[in-house]
Amino acid sequence: LGLLLCDFLVEQFLEPGAPLVVAVDGSVFARSGRKVYGAVWHHDAGAQPGGRGFRFGNCFVVAGLVVRIPVLGARAWCLPLLFRLWLPTSKPSKECPKPSKRPSQQQLAAQLVAKLAERYPDRRVEVVADAAFACKAMAPAEARTTLTSRLRANAVLQAPKPRGSADVLAKA
C-alpha cells in the first residue's frame, strides 16, 4: 500500500527524473497493557524536555517521501510511506539461553530504502536521517543512493576509495 501511495505522490509532486528524497527515523508510539505486542521501554529524546526521557510502547522505523506541495507554500513536507515494527532482541533466559538476533532499526531502515530504490530504478534516492542511522547497515548498496546524516561522535573520516581499488585488492 505504501508503494502505491508513493507512486501517486511521485507522479503528483516530483518532476520526471527528479531524485527521491527519503527521510528515515525511528518513532516511539506510547502504548501500554498486557495485550500490546512488542511494547517495551525505549529511549525517546522527545519524551521529556532535555531529551532524557524513556517511553513504554512500540518503536516503528519509518521512511517518508520529502516533497514540496505548491498549495501549502515553499515548505518541504515529509509524507510517511513505509514502516516496520522494531523489536529488540530478547534477553537470554532459562527457557531460551541464546535468543535469535533480530534486525536493528538501521537494518530495517535499509530494507525500506532498498524497496524504494527497487521500485524506482531510474531515479536517484537521497536518504536523510539522524546520527543514529549513520552506520554500515545504512551504507548505500547502489551508486545512485546517498545518505546524508549528522556525523556520530566517534566518526572516522577518510578519503574516498580510489578508482580501481577493487582491482588492486583482488590482485593482492
Side-chain angles (χ1 to χ4, degrees):
L1 183 61
L3 293 174
L4 292 175
L5 177 60
C6 189
D7 290 341
F8 171 76
L9 295 173
V10 166
E11 181 181 311
Q12 293 296 314
F13 299 114
L14 294 181
E15 297 292 326
L20 296 178
V21 179
V22 179
V24 175
D25 198 14
S27 299
V28 178
F29 183 61
R31 304 302 292 159
S32 62
R34 293 184 333 160
K35 294 185 179 182
V36 178
Y37 177 75
V40 294
W41 284 100
H42 297 280
H43 177 263
D44 186 12
Q48 281 186 346
R52 296 186 181 159
F54 286 85
R55 188 177 286 182
F56 188 82
N58 299 111
C59 182
F60 290 93
V61 177
V62 182
L65 183 66
V66 179
V67 296
R68 295 190 188 279
I69 303 173
V71 181
L72 299 175
R75 185 176 187 176
W77 295 85
C78 179
L79 306 173
L81 296 172
L82 304 174
F83 63 92
R84 293 284 186 272
L85 174 64
W86 176 70
L87 297 170
T89 301
S90 302
K91 294 184 179 181
S93 64
K94 288 183 180 180
E95 295 84 23
C96 186
K98 289 193 173 187
S100 59
K101 189 170 171 117
R102 294 184 175 146
S104 66
Q105 290 185 30
Q106 295 79 7
Q107 290 168 329
L108 292 175
Q111 291 172 8
L112 297 177
V113 170
K115 281 194 174 296
L116 288 168
E118 181 182 322
R119 183 76 168 204
Y120 301 98
D122 58 334
R123 292 181 186 257
R124 282 191 346 261
V125 179
E126 299 173 354
V127 181
V128 180
D130 61 15
F133 292 91
C135 63
K136 286 183 182 178
M138 289 292 295
E142 301 180 28
R144 64 187 181 87
T145 304
T146 62
L147 171 66
T148 303
S149 73
R150 190 173 139 195
L151 289 175
R152 298 172 69 98
N154 63 350
V156 177
L157 300 179
Q158 299 176 353
K161 183 168 60 170
R163 289 185 176 220
S165 63
D167 300 330
V168 173
L169 292 174
K171 291 177 185 176

